[in-house]
Every structure is written in structure tokens, then in C-alpha cells.
Amino acid sequence: MTTGLHPGETPQDPRPTENQPLPRQEAVLAPPHVEHVEHVENRTRSSVITARAAASFAAVSRSVATARSFVRDTLQGWGFADIVDDAVVLTSELVTNAVVHAGTPADVLCLRTEDGVRIEVADRYPEREIPLQGSHINMGSPDREGGRGLQLCAAMATRWGVEYTPTHKQVWFQLDLPDRPVGTRSAGPSLPADLLPLADGRVRVAVVQIDRAGAIGAWNEDAEELFGYAPDQVIGKPLTDLAAWPHTPGTSTGVAEALQLSRWEGSYGIRAANGRVTPVYASHLRVRDTAGDPSTVCLLVRDHERAVLQTPIRMPSGDNSGSGEGQATDPFEVFIGSPAPDDLDGLLQRTVERARDMLDGDSAFLLLATDDETELEVRASTGLPSARQRFARVPVEAGPGRYGSARMPAVHDDLTAVPGAVPLLNGTGMRSVVTVPLKVEGRLTGSLGVAAEAQGRYSNEEALRLQFAADRIALAVESARLGELERLRRGSLSFLVEASDLLAGTLDRDQTLALMAQMTIPTLATWCAVYTIADQASDPYLSYVLHEDEDLIDGLKALLVKIRPPEPIPTPGARVWTAPAEAAHQAALRTSMRSLGLGEPATVSSGIGTTLATASAVGGETVVLPLVARNRVIGMLTLGKPTDEHFRQEILELAEDLSRRAALALDNARLYSERVAISQSLQRSLLPPELPQIDGVEVEVIYRAAGEGNEVGGDFYDLFPIRDGAYGFAIGDVCGTGPEAAAVTGLARHALRLLAREGYSGPAVLDRLNSAIIDEGARSRFLTLLYGELWPQEDGGAVLKVVCAGHPLPLRLRQDGTVEPAAEPQALLGVMEDLELYEQTVTLDPGDVLLCVTDGVTERREGTRMLGDDGLTEVLTTCTGLTAGAVAARVMRAVERFASDAPSDDMAILAMRVPGLQQD
């Protein structure tokens, strides 16, 4: 770095020449030593340059902070404190454009004049196209990260310009000092008398001194006149007993906290002796006496006379003659850029970048408070490992005292002396930090902080400057945050509605597990695992694993199987689970050591990459949400992020809502599966386990239950041996479905077998069965039943005796293709006590087929059409010469094709064929 002044000489051009390169800027810069001289050079119109300082900076990102320090130290050494902030911000932008975006070294030249300072920033980018005379200069977009330097110059500088040479591009800006007498902090223009602030009689300034404990120690005459209290009435009492706080909305700190600050200005109210609140404007100054005891001097005037005390707000310069017509731009809006109203991330990122530049820090961060104001979420940072910190959460109250709370400004000179004071900065190398709250109408909405690697960098003065910036941006941030929350909530509502529809659309347990995982990836998390618990005595079981990268699913599943599942705690909400990240880290470490020959030999070399990829995939935050249904934990939903990523609070709240819906859907699927299993088991118990082999007779049965398998059907069939050479068969239909129908079905099937083997004839069997059904009382159901006994004959035929009690008539198919009923209809069972039933004898010749069906076959419908007995007869006529199995299959196929809808009734088909001796 070259700095300095040559008295009595014209300053040389600080830019390097071909034979005289300029030294590089060192990491730490001391304030340049300059001497005041008269009329050194006339560079900027008629301004006389009285001192200069120059430095060159390498093309590395660290040079931006060093350049800020150089300019700040130089201008403060010249006594230009009023324009230091503007100069630092503009220099930071221009040097960033050079060393970061253009990738070239930057030369900075500071020239002091009688009226202000001119700063020139030059970069070395000869490949740039030299603009032609009169061509339009592209000032860049304020919504881009780079290229905003000219925008800032146009808004903040008195004059500015751009100069090109074949080897350099130079941007310069002029900042003029405020035109006021020496010694004044600020001054306004001369005004006519009628435009001056109006005072109600003599302006009274109450002087109140507050001691260390916040009690009033001094009370002057004007205070007594303004508020009506004599000194002996208030001395020794806390000021907070008299203050009505806040008097105006948007005040960032409470009166007790404001009294602890070195300087403070603002509005509040004082309760006067008459009980009314007097609005006042106050200026606080914290001092200490010779013994070192601190106290606060408060100057108070009536609020409408605030012009007596209020420091005028510095307005942007309106003279932009160097760059064209001036722009009436709010300097703070220029400070943070011009993000879109709904661009919260852009607004936050620019705020931390400008806050870092404003306080010449090495890093900055901004956190937003959760709705309950108990935690802060990292939303933007610069100079910190943002990927690791984003959405990390820290408590609002990190420790006892004001310095442990995010609700108050805090300055830490050395973080190594108070480890953990700012958890976000642990392990980052930052030593000193200043943090201030963002508040809207007294409610904490966030925290803004700037940190530096050196210790002791910040004081209360920087805290006040940062607090002023935070107050200006707090409302805009909160507005953008609320807009983002509204969009997130609308999206969350849509997501939950769709999720509920999908979960309600299935009662299959495995499909519910798959849907649960697929809905979370990648909307809520990077990977997901679902654990299920069969009963309270069982351990959690890993049931489903999903990752947005399908190649990592197997490795993730293998990792989770090896670690102990999370504890099934019913407490609602998400809790952090560190076991997967720790296990992945250890596995990756062991794999890396084996690959380096430092551990056990690696058995599969290709597994190294897989292990490292798995570790990276699960290395971030992992949370567990309990799946609670009907007051019982039935599983856990585990969500994870890749390395160093965190969940944001809104996502966790959405995941919690989803887990409640998913838990109920999963439990419903479990209950449904159990019901189906019970129904299917009961249905199997109502049907014969197997059909006997009958010599000389082919038998085929097809049974189709309607519905989804969760109801026990009312149709049944049976075929059983009665005695040597005789077999009983039955096909029936109980009215309705469910347990009541199942009870009648079980009664009928077992009663038929028992009575037939006791030697009762067909009519006697059905008569006793009818009495048993009626004896069931209100639980009874009527029953249609076809019962018969079969005797195969030695000549190849068969003799049957059948009773058709209200059931569809059996059909006989002869070898010539004719079809005829094989019985006559009689009364059904379960309705009347006295029945006059009779049996009919049917002889089947070789090749004949007897077809028995339930009414689910004949009553198959398509709109107004019904298959009926005629349709069944027509189908059967095409089955001549087919085996019993082929006949049953053709009939079932015809029934299914008759209508496109799923069957609404159970169907049973019993086909018996006498093949004859020629088939042997």
C-alpha cells in the first residue's frame, strides 16, 4: 500500500505504470498519515486537493473488507466523519465489482478537498469493450448481486463519473461535506419565521437524571412545570413508574432498556400529576461521574416541540451533476437495493451485506423469530458457512441478563471470553459482534448482527447505527415475511388437501406407507423413513425408506437397519434425532480409513463412494414425528436433510399436520387389513376345505365374493361323502352379508352334513334345517338352497335326488345340446315353520352336465338388461362336449363380460359332469 502526502508537491498519479508496480494491500491497514497543505492540485473543477491516500488491492474477496477499512481510516483521519458511511458503502460496491466480479486488482485513490472528498476506484480489465462517445452506460440492475455500484453512486454521491483507458476503467465519486459552521453536528436551512416550529409559550426542557438502578436522582424546575410533580415527590422513584411506554407504535426498545444505551432519542409519554399522559420527545445521554458510577441524563420536551432536541435526518444529496439529473431516492432503500415486494430472501440477503459493509465487518447475519417468539431462525448470512447455518434455530433467551437476550442490543468485545454467547458464531473464528433486535409495534420479529474476526471492534455507537438500520428495515422485513407465510400457508393447505385425498383413497397398509413417504419427498425433506409399531410390546420396525435420489435408497436403508430406532414418544411435534448423522459419519470415516490402508481391508472397493454418498445424504438435520392414532403411537415418521441443512419451522409445522393425517390413515389401513383378514378367514371356514374325488363324476366349483373382501358373503357350496357310494351336495344363498349371514351359512353347512350322515332324506334334512333357522329368532335370515344326493352308477351314469328350496333351478345339459331344468321350485327356508318339501330324481347319462348357480349369476345386470335364466341357458348350450371345469369357466367368463361394472353380488357355480365309461 502507498499512502501519504508530499508537501509542496503535486501528488503523483497513484496508479501503477509498466515499470513501477504498486505494492499490494496488506491484511491490516493503519490509518494513513497525511499532512494538510495548501493548494496541491486542482483536480475537481475549482476544488483544491489538500491531501491524498492511495492503495492497491489484490483480486481476492478479502480485499473488499480491507478496502473498506482503508477508506474508513483515511476519512476519519481527515475528520470527515459525516461522509464516512456513504464513502465506505460506495467504495465497497466498486471494489467488489473489480476484485470479485471482474477478477482484477483494484486501485483506490482518496483525494481530500476543501469541500469534501473525491474517491477513485480503478480496475485493470483491458479486454473490456471501450464504449464509444455518447453511448449509454449500463448502470446494472439493482436486483443483481453485482453491478450496483453505479446505482449507488447516482443516488448517494454529489457527483460521479466513469473514465476508460485502454488498460483501466475508473469510477469516481465526489462527496461534499455538509455546509455548516465548524463544531455543529448538523444544521438545517434558514427558514422564514412563519415556517419555524410552533412553541406553546416558553420552551421548557425537563432535565431528569436517572441513576444506575433506574431511579430519578434529579428533577429540574421545567420538569416540575411540565408534569406537575415537585422534586421530593419523584426523586428516588423509578422513571418507569411515570413513563407510558411506548407512546408511539414502532418503538423498538422499552424505556428501561433505552436508559442503558449510551445515546437514545425517541417518543414516549409521562403520566402527569393530574393523571393524564403528556407525550414527550426525549434525548438520553449516558454519562459517568468521577467515581465511575453511570447515570443517564434525560432531556424531555413536549412532543410537538421535538425540533428542539431531535437530530435532523440526513437527506440524500440532490446534486448529481456529474451523472445527469438528480434522483430523489431514499438512501436506505439504495442501501438495501430494490428487491421485489415478495422477495424476502433477496431483501434479507442484501440487508446483511449492507450491514456488514456499513460496520466494516467480516460477516453479518439476520434471524427471524418464530410465531411464539421463543426461537430465531437463520434466514440470511454473509461471510459465514450459510449452507450449514440456514434455517438453524437458536433460542431468543440464550442466557441470563440483557446480553443473553435477542430482545436487546448487545455488543461482545471478545466471544472467546464468553463461549456460546452467540451460538450461531461458534467455530466461525469471529471474535467481536454487535446484535440488535428487529421489532414491529414492540413485538420481536428478528435479530440483525455484524461480526468481525478482530476483538473489540464494536461499541455502543455502532450498536446505535445498526439499530437505526434495523428500525428502518424491520417493517419491510415483517411485511415480506408475512407475505411469504401467507403463500406458504396457502400452499400448505393445498398440499394437505391433496395429501388427505390420496390417503383417503386407499385402505391398503403398504400403499399407505408408500404414499406417506412419497408425499414428503422432495416437498418437505430429502429423505424419509417410516417406522411402524405392531403393538405396545413390539419394537419399532423400519417399514419404508425413500430418498429423492433412488441410487441412495439401498445405502440409506442399510444404514438405518443397523442403528437403534428412535424412541416411540407420543409427545406431539418434531424432535431432533442425531443417530443417523452420527452413524453415517462413523461409517464414512471407517470406509475412508480402510481406503487409505489405516484400518481393516475394504472388501468391496466400490462401496467407498456409496458410503460417502450416504453419509452426505443424511448428514444434515433429522427429525422424528410420532404417528399417533386413537391415543396410541403406531409408528414414527422420520425426515432428513443432506449435510449441514436444517428444516425451517413452517416445514416442520406442515410435516406435523401431515403426520396426524398419515397416522389416522395408517391406523385405518391396519384396522381394515385386520378386518379383511378376519372376514377372509371366516369366509374360508364357511366353505369346504377341499372337494372329494368322486369316481365317474367330474366336479368343478368357482366362487367369487363381491366387494373388497371386508364382508363375509352369503353364498356357499358344499360337496361331501354321506356313506359308501353316496355323496351330498348343496349350493345356497343366505339373505344379506356380514356376521348375521355368516351365522346362518355356518349353521346350514354343518347341519346339512350332520343330518345327511344321520340317514335323513333330503326333505327331512331341509325341514329340520328350516326349524333351526327359525329358532334363531331376530338373528335368522331366509335361505335359498339347492340340496341333493348323488349316486354314481356302474354303467357310467349317475342318479341324483334333489330338493330346490327357493333357489335358482339347476340346469341339465344333454349331449345333443338341449338344456332343461332338473328340478321344480319349492318354498325357501327360514320363513314358514311347516313346509311340505319333496325330492325329485334326476338321472344323468354319460356326457350330461348338471349346472347349479346362485342368483348372483342370473341377476348379473348391465343397465336395464339382466342375464336371467334364459341368458344362462343360452350360454350353457354352447358347452356341449366340454369338461366340468371348462363349463364352469365359460359360464363365469360370460357372466363377467355381460357387464363392465364389478359384480355387486357373490357368485357360486357348481358344475358336475358324467363323462361315461368311454372317457376312462
Side-chain angles (χ1 to χ4, degrees), residues 311-590:
T311 301
I313 299 175
R314 184 179 53 173
M315 300 303 294
S317 173
D319 180 13
N320 295 327
S321 57
S323 60
E325 185 178 355
Q327 302 176 16
T329 306
D330 187 334
F332 194 75
E333 292 180 0
V334 175
F335 173 75
I336 62 168
S338 303
D342 58 351
D343 183 14
L344 176 62
D345 289 336
L347 174 62
L348 300 184
Q349 190 60 37
R350 292 180 192 179
T351 299
V352 296
E353 290 170 0
R354 302 303 176 257
R356 176 203 61 193
D357 295 349
M358 183 177 72
L359 297 188
D360 193 21
D362 297 307
S363 64
F365 51 88
L366 196 151
L367 303 87
L368 295 184
T370 55
D371 290 339
D372 57 5
E373 295 186 30
T374 60
E375 287 186 313
L376 294 166
E377 231 178 25
V378 180
R379 291 301 302 272
S381 64
T382 181
L384 296 174
S386 57
R388 176 168 64 86
Q389 304 294 345
R390 186 165 170 79
F391 297 122
R393 288 175 296 280
V394 297
V396 169
E397 307 293 340
R402 59 166 295 196
Y403 293 107
S405 173
R407 302 180 186 278
M408 284 297 299
V411 177
H412 293 279
D413 291 332
D414 190 357
L415 290 176
T416 59
V418 280
V422 183
L424 181 65
L425 300 180
N426 292 344
T428 61
M430 300 297 157
R431 295 285 298 276
S432 55
V433 62
V434 53
T435 61
V436 297
L438 274 70
K439 291 187 176 181
V440 175
E441 297 185 356
R443 183 173 59 87
L444 180 69
T445 61
S447 177
L448 177 63
V450 178
E453 295 177 356
Q455 63 179 355
R457 285 283 298 276
Y458 303 113
S459 63
N460 279 354
E461 182 181 353
E462 283 78 16
L464 287 173
R465 293 171 59 204
L466 191 61
Q467 184 67 72
F468 175 75
D471 292 345
R472 294 290 302 277
I473 198 64
L475 189 58
V477 169
E478 181 66 2
S479 177
R481 187 184 74 89
L482 292 176
E484 180 190 69
L485 285 177
E486 181 62 24
R487 290 189 298 275
L488 283 174
R489 285 167 182 163
R490 287 199 301 265
S492 299
L493 181 61
S494 176
F495 172 80
L496 290 174
V497 168
E498 183 178 356
S500 299
D501 289 344
L502 290 173
L503 291 171
T506 178
L507 288 171
D508 181 82
R509 176 182 176 276
D510 293 338
Q511 190 173 0
T512 301
L513 289 172
L515 283 173
M516 192 186 312
Q518 291 167 5
M519 284 186 296
T520 61
I521 308 300
T523 304
L524 305 181
T526 304
W527 63 270
C528 169
V530 183
Y531 291 85
T532 56
I533 303 174
D535 52 63
Q536 294 182 351
S538 302
D539 292 330
Y541 174 75
L542 183 62
S543 299
Y544 202 91
V545 177
L546 186 65
H547 194 284
E548 63 181 7
D549 185 351
E550 295 182 357
D551 295 336
L552 298 178
I553 294 178
D554 293 338
L556 176 59
K557 186 174 183 180
L559 176 70
L560 294 176
V561 167
K562 295 178 181 178
I563 62 179
R564 183 177 179 82
E567 292 295 327
I569 301 175
T571 306
R575 69 180 192 275
V576 177
W577 186 33
T578 59
E582 294 172 355
H585 175 75
Q586 293 298 326
L589 182 61
R590 289 192 299 270

Side-chain angles (χ1 to χ4, degrees), residues 692-849:
Q693 296 292 328
I694 303 177
D695 294 337
V697 179
E698 297 175 358
V699 179
E700 181 66 28
V701 175
I702 296 179
Y703 181 84
R704 294 285 188 274
E708 300 179 356
N710 61 331
E711 290 285 351
V712 181
D715 291 11
F716 71 96
Y717 64 90
D718 202 358
L719 180 63
F720 55 91
I722 299 176
R723 49 190 175 272
D724 293 342
Y727 297 86
F729 67 91
I731 183 170
D733 184 3
V734 178
C735 175
T737 58
E740 294 83 0
V744 176
T745 300
L747 173 66
R749 195 172 75 82
H750 294 292
L752 288 176
R753 288 196 173 207
L754 179 62
L755 294 173
R757 287 169 178 170
E758 289 294 325
Y760 290 99
S761 64
V765 169
L766 266 61
D767 184 66
R768 286 165 173 75
L769 175 59
N770 179 64
S771 298
I773 294 174
I774 292 177
D775 288 343
E776 290 292 309
R779 297 181 300 175
S780 66
R781 298 291 184 93
F782 65 81
L783 167 67
T784 66
L785 179 65
L786 172 66
Y787 173 75
E789 296 180 358
L790 169 68
W791 288 271
Q793 302 298 307
E794 295 181 356
D795 60 357
V799 175
L800 294 84
K801 292 183 178 180
V802 298
V803 180
C804 185
H807 199 77
L809 300 178
L811 299 179
R812 176 182 180 180
L813 172 64
R814 296 182 180 275
Q815 283 187 313
D816 59 1
T818 59
V819 177
E820 59 185 7
E824 297 176 353
Q826 300 184 56
L828 52 79
L829 306 181
V831 178
M832 297 181 294
E833 294 185 0
D834 297 326
L835 296 178
E836 295 182 1
L837 300 174
Y838 57 92
E839 61 183 9
Q840 296 174 275
T841 301
V842 179
T843 300
L844 296 181
D845 297 328
D848 288 355
V849 175

Side-chain angles (χ1 to χ4, degrees), residues 244-257:
W245 188 275
H247 173 60
T248 55
T251 305
S252 298
T253 55
V255 64
E257 291 80 9

